[in-house]
Amino acid sequence: MAKIINGAPLPNIPWQDRPAGCDDVVWRYDANPIIPRNPAKGCARVFNSAVVPWGDEYIGVFRADHTVVTPALHVGHSKDGINWEIDPTPIDWRDENGEPFASTYYYDPRVTWLEDAYYIVWCTDDHGPVLGLGKTNDFKSFTRLPNTTLPFNRNGVPFPRKVNGKYLMLNRPSDDGHTPFGNIWLSESPDLVYWGKHKLVMARGTDLWWESTKIGAGNVPIETDEGWLVFYHGVVNTCNGFVYSFGAVLLDLEDPSKVLYRGKEYLITPEKDYETTGFVPNVCFPCATLVDADTGRIAIYYGAADTYVALAFTTVDDVVKYLKENHQ
Ligand code: BMA
C-alpha cells in the first residue's frame, strides 16, 4: 500500500466513493461543477484555483476572470471544500514595505504551507508573463516577494518543503501567447529569492498525443513513500484548438528532477458538458489537491473549460498502483 508521508489527517476531506462498476483511477464528483458562473459580483468565471485546509474548514486563492475578462486572485471560504463563497474584492498585494505591488493580471495560483506561511505562486505580468510569489498567514494581508522568473513562464508549482536544503519549484518556460510548446522544469532556491540550477524534469510526450503539445505541473507535489506525486496537464493541438487533459507522475523523493513513473494515459480528459463547453472548450486543468494522510484519499480541484471549478477523487494507492503498472 502506498502511503502519504509528512501529511496531516483530514477526516472531513470532500469525498465520494468510486461509483459502482467504475474502474477509472480518478473519478469525478457527481455534482460538478462546484463553482458556477458569476459566483461573486464582477467575477464572471472562477477556475484553475488552489485550496488548503483552514482549521476544520477550507480556504483558497481563486482565479477569477472579471467582467472585463482580465484575471485576478480572490480569497474564497468553504466549510466543506465543496460549497465556496468567493470574496468580491481581489487580493490587495503589498510589497515587503507594505506598499502596493499590483500587476495587470494574476492567474493559475498554487498555494502551499511552507515553514512559516502559506506561499502562493501564480502567473503575473512583468513585461510578459512571469511567475509571481507571495505569502500570507491570515488570508487577509498578502505580501509579495520578488518575481521568481524572467519572462516567459506561465506555470509554476512550489514544493511544500525544502528538499536537500533547497526550496523547489516546478515550472514551464514558455512564450507570451498561448504557448504551442512546453516542458516541465525544476528550479531551486536557497532563499526563495534567487532561483537557479534549472533541470529538465520531463518533456512533452511526442509519441503520446494527449500530451504532445505541452505539459505543465498541476498540484503542489504530494509526498508519498513511493515519491512525489504530481498530477500534470497534457495538451494536444487539434484543428479546433488545444485539448487539456491530465495525468500523473511520481518523482524521486530525494531528487525530484528524476522521474520514477510517468503515466501513459490521461486520467481525466474533457468529457462532461462543463468540461467541453465554456469560455475555452475542452480544458481540465488541475491546480490543487487535498489529502487525508490517514486514508490516502485525494480530492483533486481542477478548472473546467476556463469557466468552472470541478472536483475529482482518487487514492494515493490507486494512482501509485496505476503508475507502476502503466508507465511510459
Ligand atoms: C493556459 C492557461 C490556463 C488556461 C489554459 C486553457 O495556457 O492560460 O489558465 O486554463 O491555457 O485556456
Side-chain angles (χ1 to χ4, degrees):
M1 287 276 286
K3 285 192 185 54
I4 290 165
I5 53 175
N6 293 322
L10 193 62
N12 67 338
I13 188 171
W15 185 253
Q16 263 175 354
D17 287 334
R18 179 189 269 108
C22 165
D23 62 1
D24 297 340
V25 181
V26 175
W27 58 98
R28 294 169 175 83
Y29 179 52
D30 68 4
N32 272 344
I34 59 170
I35 302 185
R37 282 184 189 263
N38 303 307
K41 186 142 184 60
C43 297
R45 292 166 287 107
V46 169
F47 55 102
N48 300 5
S49 298
V51 309
V52 289
W54 185 244
D56 51 12
E57 301 187 353
Y58 297 96
I59 203 161
V61 175
F62 290 80
R63 169 180 175 166
D65 284 16
H66 286 181
T67 44
V68 289
V69 182
T70 316
L73 299 180
H74 290 237
V75 172
H77 299 262
S78 174
K79 288 196 183 324
D80 57 8
I82 294 175
N83 296 286
W84 288 90
E85 297 263 332
I86 307 296
D87 291 353
T89 313
I91 290 172
D92 174 21
W93 289 102
R94 302 278 159 160
D95 68 15
E96 288 164 281
N97 299 317
E99 298 299 323
F101 186 172
S103 299
T104 322
Y105 57 77
Y106 310 75
Y107 64 82
D108 299 357
R110 273 61 165 206
V111 178
T112 186
W113 175 261
L114 183 58
E115 297 177 354
D116 63 342
Y118 290 93
Y119 283 80
I120 302 126
V121 173
W122 71 96
C123 176
T124 192
D125 175 34
D126 185 2
H127 303 84
V130 298
L131 295 175
L133 177 67
K135 62 179 181 172
T136 185
N137 286 90
D138 57 7
F139 287 85
K140 290 181 182 141
S141 59
F142 287 83
T143 305
R144 270 182 84 163
L145 304 170
N147 292 331
T148 61
T149 63
L150 291 167
F152 306 102
N153 203 313
R154 307 191 299 119
N155 192 73
V157 176
F159 274 66
R161 68 165 174 86
K162 281 183 179 169
V163 178
N164 292 319
K166 296 292 183 330
Y167 299 103
L168 299 178
M169 181 174 65
L170 296 166
N171 62 96
R172 179 181 63 205
S174 59
D175 65 6
D176 69 347
H178 295 293
T179 319
F181 61 88
N183 300 327
I184 298 178
W185 290 73
L186 184 70
S187 304
E188 66 173 58
S189 171
D191 53 9
L192 295 171
V193 175
Y194 296 97
W195 293 87
K197 289 208 175 162
H198 316 289
K199 285 188 190 156
L200 180 73
V201 178
M202 56 191 207
R204 55 189 164 162
T206 39
D207 294 342
L208 302 177
W209 282 16
W210 72 270
E211 54 168 18
S212 56
T213 297
K214 56 180 166 176
I215 54 175
N219 57 300
V220 169
I222 301 168
E223 194 169 0
T224 80
D225 58 353
E226 301 275 356
W228 295 100
L229 174 60
V230 181
F231 297 96
Y232 68 97
H233 65 262
V235 180
V236 58
N237 199 9
T238 74
C239 58
N240 275 326
F242 291 160
V243 176
Y244 283 70
S245 309
F246 65 87
V249 61
L250 267 181
L251 305 176
D252 187 80
L253 279 181
E254 284 302 302
D255 177 4
S257 70
K258 281 196 196 137
V259 171
L260 300 179
Y261 301 104
R262 175 177 178 178
K264 209 170 195 171
E265 303 153 298
Y266 56 69
L267 298 174
I268 290 281
T269 197
E271 286 177 5
K272 301 287 182 187
D273 288 352
Y274 54 86
E275 297 164 342
T276 59
T277 309
F279 187 75
V280 181
N282 297 314
V283 181
C284 295
F285 195 100
C287 281
T289 50
L290 294 173
V291 299
D292 175 16
D294 279 353
T295 57
R297 290 175 172 179
I298 301 175
I300 305 168
Y301 288 78
Y302 64 102
D306 286 11
T307 304
Y308 312 103
V309 174
L311 195 50
F313 308 108
T314 187
T315 70
V316 64
D317 202 44
D318 284 321
V319 193
V320 169
K321 185 165 179 290
Y322 169 81
L323 291 176
K324 285 187 166 176
E325 289 168 3
N326 299 277
H327 55 86
Q328 301 184 26

